[in-house]
């Protein structure tokens, strides 16, 4: 996990990871997941698939997260 102000509102946001791996399947995919500080708590803003050699997001994500 990393913390950075991704939307320049003066609050730290969080960049984390999630995975859609299920025990009955051979493989899963890794996703970046971003969280925004809002109303006194962190809320998920979205996800994006982690691609090889692509750095962590520099803005809040809006895509669908695994399991959503």
């Amino acid at each position: 996990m990393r913390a950075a102000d991704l939307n320049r509102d003066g609050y730290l946001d969080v960049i984390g990871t999630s995975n859609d791996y299920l025990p009955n399947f051979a493989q899963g995919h890794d996703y970046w997941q971003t969280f925004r500080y809002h109303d006194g708590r962190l809320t998920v803003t979205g996800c994006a698939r982690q691609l090889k050699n692509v750095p962590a997001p520099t803005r809040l994500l809006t895509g669908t997260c695994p399991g959503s």
Side-chain angles (χ1 to χ4, degrees), residues 4-61:
D5 186 0
L6 300 176
N7 60 350
R8 300 180 186 186
D9 65 356
Y11 293 102
L12 288 175
D13 305 299
V14 175
I15 305 165
T17 59
S18 62
N19 187 289
D20 62 0
Y21 173 80
L22 295 172
N24 297 336
F25 296 93
Q27 65 182 7
H29 302 98
D30 293 320
Y31 291 83
W32 291 112
Q33 187 171 28
T34 56
F35 303 80
R36 173 181 166 221
Y37 183 77
H38 182 70
D39 289 337
R41 64 188 183 117
L42 289 173
T43 57
V44 175
T45 63
C47 293
R49 185 128 175 239
Q50 280 186 353
L51 302 174
K52 202 171 207 172
N53 300 319
V54 175
T58 57
R59 62 179 176 75
L60 292 171
L61 300 171

